[in-house]
Amino acid sequence: MPSLSALVFLGLAALTLGSAGLVAFSRNIIHSALALLGTFLGIAGLYVTLSADFIAATQVLVYVGGTLVLILFAVMLTSRIAEMKISNPRGGPAVAFGLVTAVLLLLGRVAAQTPWPAEAKPPMPSTAKLGHAFLGEYLLPFELGSVVLLAAMIGAVVLARRAVRRAWERE
């Protein structure tokens, strides 16, 4: 009987690969964008099983919260998207099938020949170590990065206000 962690890993891997397959082979671009949500969440779950909780949270915030929402808004706001017959066309399925088969055979061979460690390390959250590092030895680079990002954000606001003011003065 496989362990619970192995079953969770297999479930998350199946979610990730199944969703990625739907993204690649769906003929509807809205269904592809929604299947991308499952792919991103599956990858975040895999990060959690690897005790990389900070990367998992970043995955959810950046990709699911930012990129996917942006893609969905772009798709939904595109005019006449419903009139498209095939918005995600398929091209060369025989070549793709051959390439996927070759890659899977290569990955299987590498996985079979790799000496995997038999000992299991206890899972340790990485967030506490990362927080201590940011507030310890990496405090100065962290704060410099914060100041640079703040300056970029202020510059973007100034440029946007200037452009809005010019457009308002033309009217």
Side-chain angles (χ1 to χ4, degrees):
M1 181 74 181
S3 66
L4 179 62
S5 62
L7 290 174
V8 168
F9 173 79
L10 290 174
L12 289 170
L15 171 70
T16 303
L17 293 175
S19 297
L22 285 174
V23 170
F25 297 118
S26 177
R27 290 180 174 262
N28 188 336
I29 195 163
I30 296 173
H31 294 160
S32 292
L34 290 175
L36 195 59
L37 172 68
T39 305
F40 287 156
L41 290 177
I43 291 171
L46 289 172
Y47 285 141
V48 169
T49 62
L50 293 171
S51 297
D53 47 353
F54 179 75
I55 298 176
T58 304
Q59 170 82 18
V60 170
L61 288 175
V62 172
Y63 287 106
V64 175
T67 307
L68 186 64
V69 170
L70 179 67
I71 290 171
L72 284 174
F73 274 125
V75 167
M76 296 294 187
L77 294 176
T78 302
S79 63
R80 296 179 276 155
I81 193 77
E83 297 173 8
M84 298 290 290
K85 295 287 183 195
I86 298 175
S87 58
N88 194 3
R90 296 181 189 181
V95 174
F97 181 75
L99 185 64
V100 167
T101 303
V103 168
L104 287 178
L105 287 173
L106 177 69
L107 286 174
R109 183 174 179 192
V110 168
Q113 293 179 354
T114 301
W116 300 101
E119 62 194 49
K121 295 180 181 177
M124 291 181 54
S126 61
T127 312
K129 286 183 186 178
L130 192 61
H132 288 297
F134 275 155
L135 297 176
E137 59 184 300
Y138 295 110
L139 180 62
L140 183 61
F142 181 67
E143 289 299 324
L144 287 175
S146 300
V147 169
V148 167
L149 288 174
L150 179 64
M153 189 169 59
I154 291 172
V157 169
V158 167
L159 290 175
R161 287 192 69 195
R162 196 176 294 160
V164 168
R165 187 179 300 146
R166 286 184 188 150
W168 184 75
E169 289 172 354
R170 286 185 203 149
E171 292 177 359

